[in-house]
Amino acid sequence: MEGIDLDKEKHEILNAYRGLLRAWKRERSSEDTKRIRKAFNLALEAHKDMRRKSGEPYIYHPIAVARIAAEEIGLGTTSIICGLLHDTVEDTDVTLEELEAMFGPKVSQIIDGLTKISVFDGAASMQAENFRKMLLTMSDDVRVILIKIADRLHNMRTLGSMKQEKQWKIASETQFLYSPLAHRLGLYSIKSELEDLSLKYIQPEVYQQISHKLQKTKEVRNRFIRSFSQPIRASLDAAGFKYKIKARTKSIASIWNKIQNKNIPFEEIYDLFAIRIIIDSDFSEEKSDCWKAYSIVTDYYQPNPDRLRDWISLPKANGYESLHTTVMSPTGQWVEVQIRSSRMDDLAEKGFASHYRYKENNKKDHRFDAWLGEIRDLLENPESNALEFIDEFKLNLFSDEIYVFTPKGELKTLPKNATALDFAFDIHTKVGESCIGAKVNNRLVPLSHTLKSGDQIEILTSKKQKPKEDWLNFIVTARARQKIKYALKEEKRQVGIAGKESVIRKFNHNNIHFNSQNVGVLEKFYDVPSATELYYRVAKGMIDLSKLKELNVTGGILTIPKKLHDSVGKQPRKKEAKIPDKKDLLIIGENFNNLDYSLANCCTPIPGDKVFGFVTVSDGIKIHRQNCPNAQQLLSKYAYRVIQARWQNETLTEFTAKIKFVGIDDIGIVKNVTEIVSGDMNINMRAISFESNDGTFFGQIEVLVHDTDHLDSLIQSLEGLKGMHSVERIEGDLNE
Ligand code: MN
């Protein structure tokens, strides 16, 4: 190949290989070394013409995977061989039979497992069943999944040379599957690194910000740690302990989680780091040594009794053993101190694999085997399914995508905040258009229900259902939005046919020519943006054609009289003139056609409300009421993402509003309320709930109204009812 010094490259490959052997600190026989060399030679030959996206020879990848398996997970010869060969069967001419002949059945069995689960890599749709298969393979030989994790870790470390779209996909999958799996296997440092790398590609700006802040505060932190540890060191030395004290900084991903979950700024996170005391002690002494160290620490610093965690007497399910306490430093800062033996530390860093090493001299420990046995039982139990498994793994991590399942267990990826309706449209347009509700995990929910990772959704449809205007308020996916808009437009056109006929009849009756010029005059007179809208409103009875007599007709031509002329169509323009910065103003119309925006679910604004637009990270612009409960936070924290918005008053549409009322229980109150809403006011009701308690009733209704005036008149009518005490508009969803 041109421009590449092949001799130099060969030299560097050999160096990488030697690095692998050096990193592997365990004792090994010359037989082991020979077998590893044989695997390296085979991999080198098999991948010789392949290069990675970064341009480097492909062989660097298997070498790195084998090295992670040896150095960071603590695996042995067989795993190193499998790491070196893990991509050969999948990507080259090497067969499983050849591998078996050269390295024996165990190696070929593991590689077979690795090859089977490689469908995970970048496959368009990952199935719950595949995940189950992966776990089944894992329960056959856990090394399959450990090498798979090593493979994923190296791919994440070298993700920079991939296309952005691929980066997102791989990073999301890592966040969803591989970090929880690493966590479950007790591979704490790998888990943290996978989480950090995922965050780095999914939310680069967040990642950079936090890592910058960590860097900036490093010096102060180190000084604090030195002075905090100093008296502890002195006492441990005096007691004759062999030990190490390390400071462990919290991972960027867990800092970010904390910022989000606790809603606090970086500066207020008190446990940015933990002090770790690692004691070199005999297996038989380690428990009492750890408690001695605890006693020394608390001689100097006051412990918080609520935050003592003894995972030495009772290890975590994944094998984690350690003694944690949180103590008060002289500067008034809480500091977490973790105390453990070097065996426990190794176990925490490298997980169960390293645990295996100690097993020979530690007969009592069968937890890992028990855990694998549990997995096997679960998978072989016909009543359990892969979905429950995912639940088991608590895969509901923070991510910009959610993973949900069809009743048959097929996995679908949707954007965060996607609703049951988005899911319906994702299955098929027809399913979406006729969707009336859904069952999420067997519970009945409305169309607008927000889905979570791991949900299993069954869509309920009805032939009578048609897409509704208000669906646009909660739909999240662009494709579904487009389909709904199209259907609504078509619907409007259909309805409008009758309206058009009325207009023609009225024109004939008054000797007005039916032509585009005269229809245009009518549009202006009634202040509507298009003929379609005009016909639609006429058909719906929203326009009173008898007003036509206010207009002049001369020789079949329609004109607006001078006295009316000034007032017609002027109002909106006057309002516009008042808005100072027109460039940044968002005009909210009915059709949602021009811009990618939607109405916020938290406060469900309707025309007439004072509103503002908020630019979300992944979800376009959201319209909030100015008195929305979230407004203050959004405006104060993200002022730069706020844009002015107001309603375009030209078109008529329906919006969801919620009303709460309280009164004296009276027979027929439900009937009276519904009569006013559906009868007198002819308002569409979406949901209603009543509750009666000791002579008092509490009711909530969800209605579709045109604007605040419309809503106000409804509230007034309801207030007039006998026994009614108060009626008010409320925020949020019903029953929540
Ligand atoms: Mn690989």
Side-chain angles (χ1 to χ4, degrees), residues 77-291:
T77 313
T78 307
S79 304
I80 293 172
I81 291 170
C82 292
L84 286 167
L85 296 169
H86 80 274
D87 277 333
T88 53
V89 174
E90 175 95 359
D91 298 337
T92 74
D93 298 334
V94 176
T95 65
L96 280 174
E97 290 71 31
E98 286 170 73
L99 290 183
E100 179 159 357
M102 285 175 83
F103 301 98
K106 197 74 225 175
V107 167
S108 81
Q109 189 197 326
I110 292 173
I111 305 259
D112 187 29
L114 284 164
T115 308
K116 267 188 203 138
I117 58 176
S118 62
V119 273
F120 269 123
D121 287 325
S125 103
M126 178 178 58
Q127 314 250 318
E129 196 51 35
N130 277 339
F131 185 55
R132 180 189 160 98
K133 257 188 221 144
M134 175 163 92
L135 293 168
L136 258 178
T137 328
M138 174 174 83
S139 70
D140 283 344
D141 193 317
V142 73
R143 285 175 290 191
V144 171
I145 198 63
L146 292 170
I147 295 165
K148 195 70 203 165
I149 287 173
D151 185 24
R152 176 55 58 124
L153 180 59
H154 186 245
N155 285 336
M156 287 298 294
R157 283 175 181 170
T158 53
L159 203 55
S161 38
M162 293 288 218
K163 279 201 203 102
Q164 199 184 17
E165 200 191 282
K166 200 106 195 256
Q167 289 177 345
W168 265 66
K169 199 170 162 34
I170 293 177
S172 308
E173 203 182 81
T174 302
Q175 209 175 40
F176 180 66
L177 268 183
Y178 289 92
S179 15
L181 211 48
H183 184 95
R184 194 69 165 87
L185 289 161
L187 300 160
Y188 282 101
S189 23
I190 289 182
K191 173 227 167 202
S192 299
E193 189 178 348
L194 287 176
E195 276 179 358
D196 277 3
L197 287 167
S198 302
L199 186 67
K200 183 176 167 186
Y201 290 101
I202 293 171
Q203 286 176 287
E205 62 296 334
V206 166
Y207 179 89
Q208 296 306 341
Q209 235 175 52
I210 296 174
S211 82
H212 179 71
K213 283 187 175 169
L214 274 177
Q215 198 56 41
K216 246 175 52 188
T217 50
K218 196 175 167 187
E219 198 34 58
V220 178
R221 207 160 44 240
N222 285 344
R223 232 177 297 137
F224 176 89
I225 290 162
R226 271 195 302 275
S227 71
F228 179 89
S229 320
Q230 198 258 323
I232 301 175
R233 283 183 191 280
S235 292
L236 287 171
D237 287 339
F241 280 115
K242 273 175 75 190
Y243 65 92
K244 270 192 268 229
I245 295 186
K246 289 193 220 167
R248 302 293 300 193
T249 311
K250 218 182 181 62
S251 74
I252 292 176
S254 44
I255 292 173
W256 175 231
N257 279 341
K258 195 139 194 175
I259 289 175
Q260 286 193 307
N261 297 339
K262 297 260 162 81
N263 202 12
I264 50 172
F266 176 91
E267 290 69 24
E268 282 172 28
I269 297 177
Y270 75 90
D271 57 348
L272 272 182
F273 62 90
I275 303 282
R276 186 174 296 165
I277 303 172
I278 302 156
I279 304 165
D280 234 351
S281 55
D282 284 346
F283 185 71
S284 57
E285 301 292 322
E286 57 181 10
K287 189 173 172 182
S288 65
D289 284 352
C290 287
W291 283 105

Side-chain angles (χ1 to χ4, degrees), residues 555-604:
I557 295 166
L558 201 57
T559 49
I560 299 174
K562 193 91 185 89
K563 63 178 169 68
L564 281 178
H565 209 275
D566 290 339
S567 60
V568 166
K570 276 278 169 73
Q571 247 128 339
R573 249 166 267 136
K574 265 183 207 155
K575 263 192 215 157
E576 255 170 21
K578 275 188 209 157
I579 311 284
D581 195 358
K582 205 166 166 250
K583 187 179 83 217
D584 288 320
L585 178 72
L586 179 66
I587 310 278
I588 311 154
E590 164 198 20
N591 293 322
F592 297 91
N593 278 335
N594 313 326
L595 262 166
D596 180 21
Y597 68 83
S598 55
L599 304 178
N601 288 328
C602 49
C603 56
T604 50

